[in-house]
Amino acid sequence: MKTKKLFKLTFLLIAFMLLGATPTLAQTLNKPTPADNPNFSGNSPWTAACASATFNEYFVNFTWNTPLVDSSNEFILELSDASGSFSNPVELDRKNDKNTSFDFEFDFVLPTDIRGSGYKMRVRSTNPALTSPESDAFSMYYIDYDSPLLISENASGTIPPGGNIEICTGNTVTLAVHNVPNANTYQYNWYKSSTLLAEKSSSIEITQAGIYNVEIDYGSICSGSANTLSNDINISLGTNIGIAINDPAKTALCPGENQDLEANISAQGLTYVWYKDNVAITSPTIDDHIYTVDSSVSGFEGDYQVEISGPGTCLERSLAVTITNSGNFTVTRDNVADMVLLPSQTKTLSVTTTAISPSYQWYKDNAIVTGATNSSLDITDAGVYYVTVSQSGGACAATPMNSETTNVVSPASFELVVDYTTAYTACENTSIVLGVSTINAIAADDTKTDVTTDLINSFTYQWNKGGIAVNGETASSISLTSNTENGDYSLNAVLNTYNENSNTLPVQLLINETVTISSNSNVLCNGTNAIIINTTTDLTGATFEWRKDNIAVNSNNTSLSVSEPGTYKLVVQKNGCPLMSNEIVISPLNDNLVSLDTTESTIVIPEGTTKTITATGGATYQWFNVNNDLLSSTSSVDLTEEGDYILIANVGDCNVTKNITIAYKDVFNVPNLITPNGDGINDLWALPNTYSQDPNINVIIYNSAGKEIYNVSDYQNNWPEATTEFTRQNMVFYYKIKNTAEVLKQGTITVIR
């Protein structure tokens, strides 16, 4: 199969070449997969993300294939919604230093609003713009509540003694969570006698006996670790004794009438609670089997029930008895609440009513208006008016009801107020609508009455800009959509002999234009030419300033010469508003921008082998030996010979150099015998260069009693020293060769004299 694929690829390449075309191979992005957490030993890749305030660190592995991506590319890890849709993905992590790493890991924290079992991940590259396949679906939950839940009847907060509640057959009880903030934002797992139920809300209506409890639904894997399982409520079923309310003498009451409601069961020592519209209106009281409805109390109308409980009796509530108001009717004012009466003007007030055979009496300033006994009234004077309506027919005759008042004013002048009709910020909005917000009638005593509703359509209008009429703008509002319309606006309004001018509103709209700057480099090289920042915006005749770290730079040039690191931008004034360009960050040259895949300056290799060294972070690379011979012009070089080498990597307009030394690994072992007799042969304990002359290697020698007699780093193969004394023949010493992390070698040294 592999042979067939290779043949097919070879055939395609030959075909492209015969046609004079160059084949283009695209990168392959593989789907991300869970990875273990390198900060914990002995763990394995995660199967579900159960995050919390005390733990929120996850890793995924990502692989991709050649060709290489652009050096400016970024790899972005994205998360779907709970259904697996990427219509509005969430960015979890991005990497801009992995453009030559084909196998690496993203690390991320789970957002605090994540709850679901269908989340997927994918990886996007920015240059080229490619998207990986979607990952498998995973349960992901941020566990922001991890304490046991408490449930009670109707979330009252009162847990019954022993957790027992008895209800009558056919009745229901509602259990609900009462100790979780914003309880309705979670989903739940309700259980009946350890069996999972379908209900997922914070409350449940129960009709069957059983032991009920609940936990927050954090998925099949995360729910257990959250430890939110609630207390138990034991629901048992009792027998109905048939509680009901006896038929009352009247259910439709006139104002001032009372009616007793009486339960059909009494004198049995039971506890009663009376309800109106499903809300308790009495506290639990023994033998309280009668409740009196008082129609003089506002809002007495409604559905009344009684609930009983007691020893040997299940909790039972009666059917409802509906009490209505026979004298209830409506009176509706037909005109506005605040009305203007101009000189020599007559206006009409009127009401509409549902009263049976109504009669009317109008009042002005709380005094009867003689002869005003119709549903409408013509007025010529200012004042406060209302009408009393009486019902002459029906069950409750002569019941009076007052209409709402109408405030009628005769103004000496008007105050006209205009405002921005939506949120407005100078030099941020690109459009705005101005309009009349308030019309106040001002009386002779300077009292103001808002008559906007009554008069807004009665005035004639003219908008002015800078005191000059705006042609065609004669409505109560004006729409401005261009920064060329910037200025100070006011409104003139005329009604009969009244001629009023409004307040003034300044308008400064932002020009719909983008200012863009660019630079020939983003890295400052020591001792080289300055970086130049330019703009495509025409600055001829414009007012502008360059800024470094948001502080103005003393420059009037249309381009900026930069010799210091910082964040630069251009601000151009257009029609009184500042236009901000994009920002360019200029950084100093940092040798760490270019890195090698080895941290050692001296690399020891066995003679005859090859060491490949790879650099990242540069735009171009050149590798040289000590003879200045160019060995490679790519990011990697193969080195086989001892010697010193140099890498020159280009970053922007700068060069970064890295020095490397290749040394052959010694093939001889650590000696265990020396003969310091002064004959120049084997007088010193000489170590291989793997261990000697290295400041990171520590050599320690002990005598036969275990006492340390020699301890040095950067060992120079100079022990024993001339002053070292040996008191007897064939003395044995012990040695350890260590680095900062471990013991590399240990053994004995026999000294023969």
Side-chain angles (χ1 to χ4, degrees):
M1 182 62 70
K2 290 183 179 179
T3 303
K4 290 182 179 180
K5 289 183 177 179
L6 181 61
F7 173 77
K8 184 176 180 180
L9 179 59
T10 304
F11 176 78
L12 290 173
L13 291 171
I14 294 173
F16 270 109
M17 295 169 66
L18 290 175
L19 292 172
T22 301
T24 300
L25 300 178
Q27 291 83 357
T28 299
L29 309 186
N30 299 316
K31 71 178 182 181
T33 58
D36 61 359
N37 190 322
N39 298 318
F40 299 95
S41 61
N43 69 329
S44 57
W46 53 274
T47 57
C50 307
S52 66
T54 57
F55 177 81
N56 195 355
E57 182 183 45
Y58 295 91
F59 292 79
V60 294
N61 180 254
F62 170 65
T63 60
W64 60 286
N65 295 328
T66 54
L68 289 175
V69 295
D70 189 84
S71 61
S72 66
N73 176 71
E74 292 183 303
F75 288 108
I76 303 172
L77 178 66
E78 295 181 333
L79 181 68
S80 72
D81 62 19
S83 66
S85 170
F86 284 93
S87 59
N88 188 25
V90 175
E91 180 179 319
L92 295 178
D93 190 22
R94 65 170 60 208
K95 304 288 187 186
N96 58 12
D97 58 350
K98 301 298 182 182
N99 293 329
T100 57
S101 298
F102 300 102
D103 186 341
F104 63 89
E105 292 182 354
F106 288 99
D107 57 291
F108 65 92
V109 297
L110 210 61
T112 58
D113 59 349
I114 295 300
R115 298 180 198 145
S117 58
Y119 287 98
K120 296 181 179 181
M121 293 173 291
R122 70 181 185 186
V123 176
R124 286 194 303 108
S125 63
T126 60
N127 194 0
L130 297 173
T131 303
S132 76
E134 299 172 0
S135 73
D136 298 337
F138 294 99
S139 288
M140 291 186 172
Y141 290 87
Y142 186 87
I143 302 172
D144 55 347
Y145 191 91
D146 57 358
S147 299
L149 306 182
L150 296 177
I151 56 175
S152 57
E153 185 176 359
N154 295 317
S156 65
T158 301
I159 299 174
N164 298 314
I165 296 178
E166 186 178 45
I167 62 173
C168 296
T169 303
N171 284 7
T172 64
V173 64
T174 298
L175 298 181
V177 176
H178 69 250
N179 68 323
V180 178
N182 302 313
N184 292 330
T185 64
Y186 297 88
Q187 286 194 324
Y188 298 83
N189 294 324
W190 284 93
Y191 298 92
K192 174 195 170 190
S193 302
S194 301
T195 299
L196 181 64
L197 304 176
E199 181 60 52
K200 305 300 284 185
S201 70
S202 62
S203 64
I204 186 171
E205 190 173 87
I206 296 172
T207 60
Q208 297 179 346
I211 298 176
Y212 292 84
N213 53 22
V214 67
E215 67 180 355
I216 294 179
D217 182 4
Y218 285 129
S220 59
I221 298 176
C222 301
S223 291
S225 63
N227 192 34
T228 63
L229 194 63
S230 74
N231 57 300
D232 294 337
I233 296 292
N234 182 23
I235 303 296
S236 59
L237 298 180
T239 303
N240 293 346
I241 62 174
I243 186 66
I245 298 175
N246 294 328
D247 292 337
K250 294 181 68 175
T251 58
L253 306 182
C254 292
E257 292 183 332
N258 293 339
Q259 176 61 55
D260 287 340
L261 301 180
E262 184 176 0
N264 66 333
I265 299 172
S266 63
Q268 295 185 16
L270 301 177
T271 297
Y272 294 76
V273 178
W274 288 88
Y275 287 81
K276 175 179 173 288
D277 298 330
N278 288 317
V279 177
I281 54 177
T282 68
S283 58
T285 305
I286 295 175
D287 289 336
D288 185 20
H289 68 287
I290 295 177
Y291 180 81
T292 300
V293 179
D294 184 354
S295 65
S296 65
V297 176
S298 177
F300 70 90
E301 308 93 334
D303 293 332
Y304 290 83
Q305 296 170 279
V306 64
E307 184 178 81
I308 61 170
S309 61
T313 303
C314 64
L315 186 69
E316 182 181 359
R317 191 181 298 185
S318 71
L319 296 177
V321 170
T322 301
I323 302 297
T324 61
N325 187 347
S326 291
N328 198 22
F329 61 89
T330 62
V331 178
T332 304
R333 183 184 59 202
D334 296 333
N335 46 266
V336 297
D338 294 294
M339 183 179 294
V340 171
L341 190 65
L342 301 178
S344 303
Q345 188 179 34
T346 298
K347 285 199 171 183
T348 300
L349 310 179
S350 65
V351 295
T352 303
T353 183
T354 59
I356 301 173
S357 300
S359 60
Y360 305 89
Q361 177 58 64
W362 285 90
Y363 291 79
K364 173 181 177 290
D365 299 330
N366 291 320
I368 291 176
V369 179
T370 303
T373 57
N374 296 319
S375 62
S376 62
L377 176 66
D378 293 333
I379 61 171
T380 57
D381 296 321
V384 178
Y385 292 82
Y386 68 91
V387 63
T388 297
V389 180
S390 297
Q391 180 171 259
S392 301
C396 303
T399 303
M401 182 175 292
N402 292 339
S403 71
E404 295 177 293
T405 61
T406 300
N407 183 29
V408 181
V409 295
S410 293
S413 63
F414 290 97
E415 179 185 43
L416 190 68
V417 181
V418 295
D419 202 353
Y420 311 101
T421 61
T422 57
Y424 169 77
T425 302
C427 295
E428 289 187 11
N429 286 60
T430 56
S431 64
I432 191 62
V433 175
L434 312 180
V436 175
S437 63
T438 307
I439 300 175
N440 287 322
I442 303 178
D445 62 356
D446 291 331
T447 302
K448 293 183 180 181
T449 302
D450 187 342
V451 293
T452 310
T453 303
D454 189 30
L455 291 186
I456 191 168
N457 296 320
S458 299
F459 281 91
T460 58
Y461 299 100
Q462 175 61 58
W463 284 93
N464 300 307
K465 174 187 174 186
I468 300 174
V470 181
N471 186 37
E473 296 296 344
T474 57
S476 61
S477 64
I478 183 172
S479 177
L480 306 175
T481 59
S482 171
N483 68 302
T484 60
E485 300 174 297
N486 287 357
D488 295 330
Y489 285 82
S490 62
L491 180 62
N492 175 257
V494 176
L495 176 61
N496 294 344
T497 60
Y498 299 94
N499 190 319
E500 310 293 351
N501 290 311
S502 75
N503 56 305
T504 299
L505 293 178
V507 173
Q508 282 185 291
L509 298 179
L510 178 66
I511 185 172
N512 189 16
E513 181 179 325
T514 301
V515 176
T516 304
I517 60 174
S518 59
S519 63
N520 58 344
S521 177
N522 291 79
V523 179
L524 280 171
C525 309
N526 297 327
T528 62
N529 294 332
I531 294 173
I532 304 299
I533 301 179
N534 292 295
T535 179
T536 56
T537 299
D538 184 6
L539 299 179
T540 304
T543 300
F544 65 90
E545 69 177 16
W546 294 94
R547 293 183 183 178
K548 171 183 174 289
D549 299 329
N550 216 27
I551 298 175
V553 176
N554 186 19
S555 174
N556 296 320
N557 296 326
T558 56
S559 62
L560 184 65
S561 178
V562 174
S563 58
E564 295 180 352
T567 301
Y568 293 83
K569 63 182 175 182
L570 175 63
V571 182
V572 182
Q573 297 292 330
K574 287 291 183 76
N575 295 318
C577 293
L579 288 179
M580 303 286 184
S581 74
N582 57 301
E583 294 183 342
I584 291 181
V585 178
I586 304 298
S587 304
L589 179 63
N590 184 346
D591 287 350
N592 292 331
L593 292 173
V594 176
S595 59
L596 304 178
D597 61 354
T598 177
T599 58
E600 301 174 355
S601 59
T602 299
I603 302 172
V604 178
I605 63 174
E607 188 174 1
T609 63
T610 299
K611 174 66 175 180
T612 300
I613 302 174
T614 301
T616 56
T620 62
Y621 305 90
Q622 290 182 307
W623 302 82
F624 297 92
N625 60 17
V626 291
N627 297 321
N628 207 31
D629 297 325
L630 179 63
L631 305 180
S632 173
S633 296
T634 69
S635 60
S636 299
V637 65
D638 294 331
L639 302 178
T640 59
E641 297 182 359
E642 282 189 311
D644 295 323
Y645 299 87
I646 187 171
L647 164 66
I648 300 177
N650 176 260
V651 179
D653 292 334
C654 308
N655 289 330
V656 174
T657 61
K658 298 285 183 178
N659 296 298
I660 302 164
T661 299
I662 297 294
Y664 288 148
K665 183 177 181 180
D666 292 315
V667 295
F668 61 88
N669 296 321
V670 175
N672 60 5
L673 184 147
I674 59 173
T675 56
N677 53 14
D679 63 359
I681 301 174
N682 201 28
D683 286 334
L684 299 173
W685 187 52
L687 298 181
N689 60 18
T690 306
Y691 303 131
S692 64
Q693 301 179 20
D694 187 339
N696 296 315
I697 299 296
N698 182 215
V699 175
I700 307 171
I701 299 176
Y702 307 86
N703 62 21
S704 59
K707 181 180 179 181
E708 181 181 301
I709 63 169
Y710 188 80
N711 188 326
V712 68
S713 296
D714 195 16
Y715 178 58
Q716 300 296 313
N717 291 327
N718 56 353
W719 187 85
E721 298 168 333
T723 58
T724 304
E725 295 183 0
F726 300 100
T727 58
R728 62 180 184 275
Q729 292 288 337
N730 300 335
M731 294 184 66
V732 177
F733 298 83
Y734 302 91
Y735 72 87
K736 285 185 180 180
I737 303 174
K738 303 168 58 179
N739 60 19
T740 56
E742 60 182 335
V743 174
L744 305 175
K745 195 78 173 177
Q746 60 184 358
T748 61
I749 310 168
T750 301
V751 178
I752 300 176
R753 293 183 59 84

